[in-house]
Structures are given as C-alpha cells and as structure tokens.
C-alpha cells in the first residue's frame, strides 16, 4: 500500500534517490541471502534490479546479449543468432525471442525426458551447439531453469555453464519459482554453478511473501543492459546521470517509469528476517512431502516425477495400461476436483501423460488443509473409477 500510495516513479536516480538506493541495498541483501557470487553485487560491475516479472527479466538480458553479439559480429547477423534451452523452459523465453527478433527456426528448445527428470542434457546442448556452428550459425544465449513450471526440474547449472563459457554464450538462470527455496542452506546446492551465469532471476512475488509484482534480476555486467536499453533525451539529462556517479534503473528495463517496488521487499526482509523466511519455505516443502506420502499410500495413484520443492506431480492410474484412458480419467478428475470449489489443482503434460499438480504455496496452508484436499481427490477418483467399472 505504501509503494502504491507514495506514487514514486523512480526511473532515474534524480527523480527519487531513496527509491534507487533502497533497491540497490535490498537486492544486495537478497543476493547475500542466496549466496550469489560477489559479481552480482552493486559494489562491483554488476548489480540487481527489480523487474515486473520473470518474462521481463529474460527479455532484457536476451536483448543485452543480442546487442553485445551484434556489436561484435555486425548487425546483419541477426538471422544467425541461436538461443538454447530445454523444452521445459517457460514460454516467456519464446516470447522474448519473438520480441527480440530472433528467428523462430533459431530457437533450440531441446527435448528433456524422464531419463534426466526433465532437466536439460549437457550432451544434447553440446551436440546442438556443434551442429549450429558447423552450419555457420552463431550460438549466443543459453537459458537454464531451476524449478521448471511443469515439474520443478533443475537443469545442471555447473555443466551447462561450462559449456556456455567454452562457446562464449550469455548464460541466464531462471529460478523464478525455486530460487526462493535456495535461501535455505539445504536447498542452496540446487543453484551450484550460478557462478558461471551472466544473469540470475527469481520472483519474490511467487514464494517470498512479497506481493506482485517483484521479480529480482541480477547481472554481472550492468553495462550490457545500459548499452542495450538506455536512451538519453534532452529532458532527462541531469548532472548526476551524466557524470556516471549514479544508477538510473530506466536503463535496466523495458519501460521508462517504474514503481517503488523495493519498499515492499525491504518490508518483507525486515519484518520476517532470514530465519522466519527459511522456516516459511521449509513448512511448505514439508506439507508437500506429506501430500506425496499420502499419494504413495494409495495404489490407484502414482507420483510421476521426484518432488524437489513444494510441488507434487501425480496421476490416477487405471487398471488397464491404456495411456489415452489414463489421460482422459485424469482430465476428468481435475475438472471434478476443481468444480467442487474447495481446492484448485492444475495440470501439465510430461512424455505424453496428463499430469495433476498439487502445489503448496499459500501463507495460511496447514496440514489439515492438505489432508482434506487429499480426501477430496480420493473421493472424486473413487466416483470416476466406479463409473468406469459399471
């Protein structure tokens, strides 16, 4: 309410020094909480900036990487630039490519399957890069994910980062969902290899008790953003900016105007503190573990992918080994459960299977809610299976 009510539009330092400097401070705090490399701190050549969404974050770093490469190889080489990611990567990357003028045929969404728990295979990436180079194309951008939307899969950052470095690619890590969990020491290893990244993103508005919109993006080289996104019309010129003594966040994002979003992140960090935030994350993960255990006890269901955080991917398995029937049943189960208005679950598709997704993420969720949700799912499943047998 304070962020909105004050109506500060801190696009440059001079319009609101407090908004700019508080943003630098809280993103340094959060960077240290995540134990990100020092290169991501504002005290060096990099720093953090609050974007509206992870979609904006991946767009701005893609544009920075694109312009960096075009400056080197010539602006007429746009049709040769190639982007790499797994097919589990959020569609925001595809949209960023469309906006950034990357040719659709140069977007390599490499297939991930159950053999890697739907993580991007370093071998598949190496093969794709080698093939493109041999065909005269220019690999320039790799997006890895920590906690994919469908199943919270984790791409192997260290191996992928080394491949990116060997081939000179910009390496972006999208940890929009699971990044929050990495403030806990036991989950921090999931982002090991982030030291190889050029940029890193997590959404505080997803799982960090911060209201929308608040997507934290860190870069090692802020000049790459500024060179790609800055404009300097006469009416925005001022002594502070022209002497390069301050940060103007307008040059780190798509729009000119911006909200005082750092105030709400500051409030969350100050109000809860690191220990309470860690306990909050752990409580959700423990509730998801509990749900996973309930699913495993019912032979009519299966857990489809390993649960890593607070999302459980599961499905109802009919007695007949008929994939089409199983998909139809799970679709009907989803509709039946959601139609009760008591809970809401979502779905995805993995390897041709229609999968149900149970996510714990609301601040007020307790074990009794999880138990009641499972009873509801079981009850609706029994009705469906009974109708099938008759």
């Amino acid at each position: 309410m304070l962020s909105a009510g004050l109506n500060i539009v801190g696009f440059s330092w001079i319009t609101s020094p407090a908004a700019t400097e508080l943003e630098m401070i809280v993103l340094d705090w959060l960077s240290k909480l995540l134990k990100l490399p020092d290169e991501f701190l504002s005290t060096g050549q990099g720093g953090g900036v609050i974007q509206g969404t992870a979609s904006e974050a991946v767009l701005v770093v893609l544009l920075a990487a694109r312009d960096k490469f075009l400056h080197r190889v010539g602006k007429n080489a746009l049709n040769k630039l190639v982007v790499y990611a797994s097919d589990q990567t959020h569609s925001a990357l595809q949209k960023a490519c469309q906006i950034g003028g990357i040719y659709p045929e140069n977007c390599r969404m490499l297939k991930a399957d159950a053999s890697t728990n739907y993580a991007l295979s370093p071998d598949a990436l190496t093969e794709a890069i080698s093939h493109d180079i041999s065909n005269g194309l220019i690999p320039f951008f790799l997006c890895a994910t920590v906690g994919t939307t469908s199943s919270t899969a984790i791409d192997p950052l260290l191996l992928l980062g080394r491949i990116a470095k060997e081939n000179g690619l910009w390496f972006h890590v999208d940890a929009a969902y699971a990044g929050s969990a990495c403030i806990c020491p036991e989950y921090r290893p999931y982002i090991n290899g982030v030291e190889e990244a050029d940029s890193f993103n997590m959404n505080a508005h997803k799982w960090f008790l911060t209201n929308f919109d608040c997507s934290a993006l860190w870069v090692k080289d802020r000049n790459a953003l500024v060179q790609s996104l800055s404009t300097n019309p006469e009416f925005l010129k001022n002594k502070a900016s022209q002497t390069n003594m301050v940060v103007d966040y307008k040059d780190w994002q798509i729009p000119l105007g911006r909200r005082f979003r750092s105030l709400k992140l500051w409030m969350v960090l100050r109000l809860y503190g690191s220990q309470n935030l860690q306990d909050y994350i752990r409580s959700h993960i423990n509730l998801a573990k509990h749900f996973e255990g309930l699913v495993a006890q019912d032979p009519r269901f299966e857990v489809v992918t390993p649960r890593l955080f607070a999302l459980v991917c599961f499905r109802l398995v009919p007695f007949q080994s008929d994939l089409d029937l199983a998909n139809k049943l799970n679709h009907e189960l989803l509709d039946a459960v959601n139609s009760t208005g008591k809970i809401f679950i979502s779905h995805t598709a993995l390897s041709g299977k229609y999968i149900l997704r149970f996510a714990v993420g609301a601040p007020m969720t307790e074990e009794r809610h999880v138990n009641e949700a499972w009873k509801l799912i079981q009850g609706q499943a029994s009705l469906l299976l009974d109708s099938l047998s008759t």
Side-chain angles (χ1 to χ4, degrees), residues 5 107 198 239:
C107 296
D198 296 283
K239 181 185 279 189

Side-chain angles (χ1 to χ4, degrees), residues 47 63 155 211 230 259 290 357:
L63 294 175
D155 291 336
N211 57 301
S230 67
R259 302 177 184 89
H290 176 61
R357 302 162 70 248

Side-chain angles (χ1 to χ4, degrees), residues 84 110 124-135 137 139 142 163-164 167 169:
Y84 303 86
L110 304 174
L125 175 64
T126 300
E127 183 180 345
I129 290 174
S130 298
H131 181 265
D132 286 331
I133 291 174
S134 66
N135 283 312
L137 297 174
L142 168 64
I163 295 168
N167 292 278
L169 279 71

Side-chain angles (χ1 to χ4, degrees), residues 133-258:
I133 291 174
S134 66
N135 283 312
L137 297 174
I138 305 172
F140 89 104
F141 191 86
L142 168 64
C143 181
T145 307
V146 178
T148 58
T149 303
S150 281
S151 65
T152 66
I154 298 172
D155 291 336
L157 302 189
L158 188 58
L159 294 174
L160 297 177
R162 287 173 179 168
I163 295 168
K165 182 176 286 185
E166 288 168 7
N167 292 278
L169 279 71
W170 181 294
F171 182 33
H172 176 65
V173 176
D174 177 357
Y177 165 68
S180 297
C182 297
I183 67 168
C184 302
E186 65 270 34
Y187 300 114
R188 173 56 177 75
Y190 286 128
I191 57 170
N192 284 352
V194 69
E195 60 272 15
E196 304 289 347
D198 296 283
S199 50
F200 178 86
N201 169 236
M202 66 153 285
N203 282 352
H205 60 243
K206 268 197 172 72
W207 200 13
F208 207 72
L209 288 166
T210 309
N211 57 301
F212 187 84
D213 52 354
C214 190
S215 183
L217 170 68
W218 291 270
V219 293
K220 283 184 177 175
D221 178 16
R222 57 175 174 259
N223 286 327
L225 290 182
V226 173
Q227 288 168 12
S228 180
L229 301 170
S230 67
T231 55
N232 193 31
E234 184 63 34
F235 54 82
L236 291 181
K237 290 179 180 177
N238 63 87
K239 181 185 279 189
S241 298
Q242 288 175 283
T243 54
N244 293 318
M245 297 298 292
V246 297
V247 166
D248 288 335
Y249 277 126
K250 70 180 178 62
D251 299 330
W252 296 41
Q253 62 177 25
I254 301 302
L256 172 65
R258 63 197 324 268

Side-chain angles (χ1 to χ4, degrees), residues 333-349:
L333 178 57
L334 178 89
D335 288 343
V337 167
N338 288 344
S339 294
T340 66
K342 295 180 179 178
I343 67 170
F344 184 87
I345 58 176
S346 55
H347 78 282
T348 190

